[in-house]
Amino acid sequence: MVNWPTERLFHVKRVCASLAEIRFVCRWPEQAGRLKRNWFHVKLERGRFKGRSSDNWFRMGVPRSHLNRFHPVPRETTCNCAKPLLSFRLGQHLGRIIACANQKGGVGKTTTAVNLAACLAASEQPTLLVDCDSQGNATAAIGFAKDPARKTLYHSLILGEPLEKIVQKSQVELLDVIPGDKNLAGAAVELVTAENREYKLQAALKSFQDRYRFVILDCPPALDLLTLNALVCANSVLVPIQCEYLALEGVSELLDTLMRIRRTLNSSLEIEGILLTMFDERTTLSRQVATDLRSFFGTQVFQAVIARNVRLAEAPSFGKPIIFYDIHSKGAEGYTQLAQEVIANDEKRVGKGARSAHSGA
């Protein structure tokens, strides 16, 4: 029987990008016999993600049940585990829920939700897109034809269907979709008399959140109960703003709404960032609106700018995200840059434990 050490039993290395599970490369001693202990301690690096590292380490126990399926190998032999040894989340990090919201319509919420979700998935980040709008435009834009028989978010919020029976695989690898349809207009009415009506979506996503790195919510262009549900369960709000005067005028009202929600329903709600959409560099108005927003909100405004682009407007009619319709267009470049900023901001939160990469309102 081998005298197993209490520490440094394994050489531990993070080789999986998922925050929900860790895979290890392990070194096993020669002539391993039955495990003498029920638990063994391994040393894990806190905040390690895609090559980012920290000097802060902590120890975690590995139950014997996770180890006894693997056969011993000669000393100093490195072997990749066939399954996760541990499933846990660094820094209590679940999938980040981002609501694309603005009370004003026509500012690019759905376009942003669909293309951001597609770009995140294309960057190998498991992503869930939730269509909270009764118009169902996000569902159509990602490639789903109208189907009255298909279960949607309505069935979860009102009829209590588990999301596992509703979620759909999209044409984009690593991107799943919870569809929306016209029945959600009725849900906004039916929720009025429901108990805990503001927390219905939060309860539905609670057991589903750790399966994804990001959850993107496409909100309706109104502060109804569907939008309220989205903002209550969200970690942060991404605010698309059209580079025109009327859209700029509504920003203060939106921020006032977010502050009220933070005071009453969701104290941890943050601003993910403000996104400039439909930007036309040829016009003085667009440049002036962009300058005013950056001077007032500072780093809360994303560096990525979504230019007014015909190819971006055409893509939904083909049921494709812009990166699948025309990868070389300005719209694809803008949303790819936005996705990289969102990923980078999330890595900062995980690695540094910051409350938000963009400070809240």
Side-chain angles (χ1 to χ4, degrees), residues 237-239 271-276 290-304 338 341-342 345 348-349 356-361:
V237 184
L238 191 155
V239 185
I271 294 181
E272 185 71 24
I274 294 173
L275 177 67
L276 303 178
T291 301
D292 291 346
L293 284 171
R294 292 190 187 280
S295 63
F296 186 79
F297 292 104
T299 57
Q300 287 183 314
V301 181
F302 286 109
Q303 291 300 312
L338 174 64
E341 286 191 62
V342 170
N345 291 340
K348 291 177 184 177
R349 295 184 188 94
S356 174
H358 294 293
S359 58

Side-chain angles (χ1 to χ4, degrees), residues 119-159:
C119 289
L120 289 171
S123 300
E124 300 182 349
Q125 310 298 323
T127 304
L128 176 67
L129 174 64
V130 183
D131 190 353
C132 303
D133 192 350
S134 60
Q135 298 176 82
N137 289 336
T139 304
I142 204 67
F144 290 94
K146 291 185 181 297
D147 182 5
R150 182 173 56 225
K151 292 183 178 180
T152 65
L153 182 61
Y154 172 86
H155 294 80
S156 178
L157 296 179
I158 303 302
L159 304 180

Side-chain angles (χ1 to χ4, degrees), residues 232-267:
V232 167
C233 79
N235 300 117
S236 60
V237 184
L238 191 155
V239 185
I241 296 181
Q242 186 179 359
C243 293
E244 294 183 2
Y245 173 73
L246 291 178
L248 182 62
E249 195 176 47
V251 175
S252 60
E253 297 178 5
L254 175 64
L255 295 182
D256 180 63
T257 299
L258 296 181
M259 289 297 292
R260 292 186 181 186
I261 292 174
R262 286 181 62 174
R263 286 196 300 267
T264 57
L265 297 172
N266 184 0
S267 60

Side-chain angles (χ1 to χ4, degrees), residues 146-188:
K146 291 185 181 297
D147 182 5
R150 182 173 56 225
K151 292 183 178 180
T152 65
L153 182 61
Y154 172 86
H155 294 80
S156 178
L157 296 179
I158 303 302
L159 304 180
E161 287 276 358
L163 291 182
E164 288 85 350
K165 296 182 179 180
I166 299 174
V167 66
Q168 303 280 331
K169 295 287 185 183
S170 75
Q171 60 185 303
V172 185
E173 189 177 0
L174 296 181
L175 176 60
D176 293 344
V177 179
I178 295 179
D181 67 356
K182 60 184 180 181
N183 289 324
L184 286 173

